[in-house]
Amino acid sequence: MSLFEAVILAGGLGTRLRPVVSDLPKPMAPVSGRPFLEYLMDFWIYEGVGRFILAVGYKHEAVIDHFGFFYRDIPIDYSIEPEPVGTGGGLFLALEKIRGKAPFFIVNGDTFFPVDASSTLTFHEEKKSKFTMVLKEMTSAERYGTVRLKENSRIERFCPLGQAEPPYLINGGVYLANPDFIKKHRQDWDGRSPVSSENFLFPKWADTEEAFFGFRESGEFIDIGIPEDYKRCQEFFNAFNINPNT
């Protein structure tokens, strides 16, 4: 199996989770005695990730002290935000750590969405996509904005919260990107100000004719940034057992 590189965006402040976890970066929130980030990395090792870049910021020392530069023999590099720069800025900074030219995964550090990496890559290659967003269909869109697709699965537009129409496809927080595409769009950021992928970069890319596609997956979706989901994931991961060595 070819090994992927993966950027995990783990630099958020986690303000919604502060009442429950106040002294740790959000991805380090404990779940059954282990950091949430360990479960995330276990899953992606199982799916074929051979190198991680952790894009960290808020209290990044806690992440580095815990993991060091290897996790289960998989190398880890760090992209450290000197100041909060948003998910878009964090991605652009982390790009400097990508070594290969092959598509790499980008994963939100505060959500868990069990995506089949091989199927995502097949879709990405068949569509000649430059950036593929993995989407989850929901029964309602009370908490999330949604994504509209064209018939060929190209992303057409993003619908803000309260303006959704069925099918309710949400951004699952997992992406497969070509490094040259991210490098090209580095000009969309001034290098200092916080910039959001979700609220600025993605809608901007959808307005172009570039190869920006959405791939549907059906796995369970958990967002630990929401306290009720954080509580729910304690039971979920007890049942969702990943052994990366198998």
Side-chain angles (χ1 to χ4, degrees):
M1 174 187 347
S2 17
L3 296 178
F4 299 100
E5 291 182 281
V7 171
I8 299 183
L9 300 173
L13 298 178
T15 51
R16 291 178 299 175
L17 203 58
R18 292 277 175 83
V20 182
V21 180
S22 60
D23 61 343
L24 290 169
K26 185 165 42 170
M28 295 298 289
V31 177
S32 298
R34 299 174 62 203
F36 175 79
L37 190 51
E38 283 194 10
Y39 294 93
L40 203 56
M41 293 169 73
D42 282 350
F43 175 78
W44 284 102
I45 291 170
Y46 181 82
E47 286 296 316
V49 166
R51 180 171 177 263
F52 289 106
I53 298 97
L54 301 186
V56 293
Y58 173 72
K59 295 194 174 182
H60 59 270
E61 298 88 353
V63 181
I64 298 172
D65 288 348
H66 180 83
F67 287 100
F69 294 92
F70 288 90
Y71 176 68
R72 298 185 187 265
D73 297 325
I74 301 298
I76 299 172
D77 203 344
Y78 294 91
S79 173
I80 302 174
E81 302 174 13
E83 299 290 340
V85 291
T87 51
L91 172 57
F92 288 133
L93 289 177
L95 178 66
E96 299 173 7
K97 302 286 186 175
I98 293 292
R99 292 178 177 169
K101 296 183 179 180
F104 67 98
F105 277 96
I106 305 158
V107 182
N108 285 355
D110 59 355
T111 57
F112 182 82
F113 189 25
V115 167
D116 186 291
S118 178
S119 297
T120 307
L121 178 62
T122 298
F123 173 92
H124 186 85
E125 292 176 336
E126 288 178 349
K127 294 292 185 181
K128 296 182 171 57
S129 179
K130 299 291 186 182
F131 191 100
T132 297
M133 175 183 292
V134 186
L135 306 174
K136 165 71 175 175
E137 185 166 352
M138 309 290 278
T139 56
S140 68
E142 296 175 356
R143 294 188 344 204
Y144 304 99
T146 56
V147 182
R148 300 295 295 177
L149 299 179
K150 297 181 181 180
E151 289 186 2
N152 65 351
S153 296
R154 187 185 291 268
I155 291 179
E156 180 177 25
R157 61 188 171 92
F158 292 86
C159 303
L161 185 66
Q163 300 180 24
E165 302 170 359
Y168 301 121
L169 295 172
I170 70 165
N171 174 358
V174 176
Y175 319 96
L176 187 61
N178 291 3
D180 60 349
F181 178 86
I182 305 300
K183 184 177 181 179
K184 172 185 174 182
H185 285 282
R186 176 65 173 74
Q187 64 187 7
D188 295 333
W189 181 48
D190 65 11
R192 301 178 307 276
S193 306
V195 60
S196 167
S197 298
E198 298 81 1
N199 297 327
F200 178 72
L201 295 179
F202 296 160
K204 181 172 182 170
W205 298 347
D207 285 340
T208 71
E209 293 302 315
E210 295 189 272
F212 184 24
F213 286 86
F215 176 61
R216 302 185 190 209
E217 271 277 18
S218 59
E220 183 77 11
F221 176 80
I222 290 182
D223 177 358
I224 67 159
I226 299 169
E228 53 267 35
D229 264 17
Y230 172 61
K231 294 176 183 176
R232 181 167 66 93
C233 81
Q234 310 281 335
E235 296 181 0
F236 174 79
F237 283 114
N238 285 336
F240 195 96
N241 183 28
I242 285 293
N243 180 354
N245 297 315
T246 60

